[in-house]
Amino acid sequence: MTSTMILISACLAGENCKYSGSNNLVEEIRELLKEGKAVAVCPEKDGGLPVPRDPAEIIDDRVISVTGADVTDYYLRGARIGMDVCRHYGCTRAILKANSPSCGPHCVYDGTFTHTLVYDRCGIFAAMLKEAGVECIDETEYIQSLHGGTSK
Ligand code: SF4
């Protein structure tokens, strides 16, 4: 455990925790975990949602599944668990899955389930991390930073 530990979305490290039951593996991010430089969380799974599960999007202040179920409480519970992990490891940086209603650091889908992004809000967990002062980037920005681009 070090103060430089990076918080990552577990699906980016290859955990089959995304709504479809698969993952969003990025080899370079899995390497961080293998090298002991990162700690992985999945706020949706940790909050009590099953894998696989119905996709959900943020509508106003709630998170609603494609079948109309209000799953906000699961998202909030999982985000709080993720914050506990973040604090425990002293993480100041996070690499998060883009566009996720939990993890998306810059934008999320608009609640219409039409793959339409809105850029004026981020995921539930990402919002809590930012509020706590954690630097949040997505997987594309991380890869760009490895190749000399800016991370933000
Ligand atoms: Fe990945 Fe985050 Fe969604 Fe879990 S909640 S599957 S870690 S994007």
Side-chain angles (χ1 to χ4, degrees), residues 5-6 8 12-14 25-40 142:
M5 203 75 125
I6 301 170
I8 58 176
L12 293 175
L25 176 63
V26 176
E27 273 299 343
E28 293 88 339
I29 296 175
R30 179 155 67 182
E31 279 303 306
L32 290 173
L33 197 62
K34 281 204 236 168
E35 292 167 1
K37 296 176 179 170
V39 58
Y142 177 65

Side-chain angles (χ1 to χ4, degrees), residues 125-144:
F125 180 44
M128 284 190 196
L129 288 168
K130 289 183 175 184
E131 178 73 23
V134 176
E135 179 196 358
C136 298
I137 61 172
D138 65 25
E139 66 275 26
T140 303
E141 291 170 314
Y142 177 65
I143 296 302
Q144 285 172 348

Side-chain angles (χ1 to χ4, degrees), residues 16-132:
N16 292 325
C17 53
K18 66 181 282 191
Y19 72 90
S20 62
S22 63
N23 61 71
N24 298 304
L25 176 63
V26 176
E27 273 299 343
E28 293 88 339
I29 296 175
R30 179 155 67 182
E31 279 303 306
L32 290 173
L33 197 62
K34 281 204 236 168
E35 292 167 1
K37 296 176 179 170
V39 58
V41 297
C42 175
E44 290 173 29
K45 198 179 99 178
D46 294 344
L49 288 167
V51 181
R53 55 189 172 274
D54 289 331
E57 296 189 1
I58 297 174
I59 302 175
D60 297 324
D61 290 331
R62 310 301 294 175
V63 188
I64 307 295
S65 82
V66 70
T67 58
D70 187 329
V71 289
T72 310
D73 288 349
Y74 293 99
Y75 275 64
L76 290 172
R77 186 182 310 134
R80 290 183 190 122
I81 291 169
M83 289 305 300
D84 287 344
V85 173
C86 181
R87 279 188 287 267
H88 178 77
Y89 285 94
C91 303
T92 58
R93 294 185 295 153
I95 307 169
L96 302 172
K97 177 68 187 78
N99 310 338
S100 155
S102 284
C103 294
H106 306 309
C107 52
V108 292
Y109 293 109
D110 71 351
T112 62
F113 294 93
T114 58
H115 296 285
T116 307
L117 289 166
V118 286
Y119 290 85
D120 60 351
R121 70 182 307 169
C122 56
I124 303 287
F125 180 44
M128 284 190 196
L129 288 168
K130 289 183 175 184
E131 178 73 23

